[in-house]
Amino acid sequence: QVPVVESGGGSVQAGGSLRLSCVYSGSNYANKCVGWFRQVPGNKREQVAALFTGGGGTYYADSVKGRFTISQDYAKKTLYLQMNSLRPEDTAMYYCADRLGSWCHPSSLPYTNWGQGTQVTVSS
């Protein structure tokens, strides 16, 4: 397993921005699906974005499309989620994770190496 550590969460007002980071340690970063998820207590976990670390493909949930951007620094094994035009409904614990595959849209393949999460709170 590859250790995963998220950071960058915080509290902002609606319309503000945050950038989350996820650092992967070890040698298992290449050619995988890496994704961002969020969850509110009592709610179903939601996948918000994903990309293929080898390049060439991204996925966004409709709820964040046009506002969030997923990107990476491949050399640093670091995944980012730039969140703009934040809304109160974006408030959640955000997690990064990875799985096998190159087609990174939701599938039956499970994500592994989950981070501890970073809290994002958006006030109106």
Side-chain angles (χ1 to χ4, degrees):
Q1 293 187 342
V2 179
V4 178
V5 179
E6 304 103 327
S7 63
S11 182
V12 299
Q13 293 191 39
S17 298
L18 286 172
R19 187 179 72 164
L20 307 184
S21 299
C22 184
V23 179
Y24 290 78
S25 300
S27 61
N28 200 30
Y29 183 78
N31 298 322
K32 301 180 69 174
C33 291
V34 290
W36 287 99
F37 298 77
R38 65 187 183 188
Q39 188 168 27
V40 177
N43 289 8
K44 181 182 178 181
R45 183 183 65 199
E46 177 188 19
Q47 184 173 353
V48 300
L51 65 72
F52 176 56
T53 60
T58 58
Y59 162 80
Y60 294 98
D62 289 342
S63 58
V64 307
K65 196 172 298 181
R67 300 188 297 118
F68 291 10
T69 302
I70 188 170
S71 63
Q72 67 174 334
D73 185 328
Y74 185 86
K76 295 181 178 180
K77 299 180 179 180
T78 301
L79 182 71
Y80 302 101
L81 185 67
Q82 178 67 45
M83 304 184 294
N84 298 327
S85 301
L86 283 162
R87 305 166 179 169
E89 54 263 41
D90 295 318
T91 295
M93 185 73 76
Y94 283 71
Y95 302 88
C96 60
D98 67 89
R99 65 168 175 85
L100 298 175
S102 59
W103 178 249
C104 299
H105 287 64
S107 77
S108 61
L109 294 176
Y111 276 80
T112 59
N113 299 308
W114 292 83
Q116 82 287 352
T118 185
Q119 178 67 40
V120 171
T121 302
V122 185
S123 60
S124 60

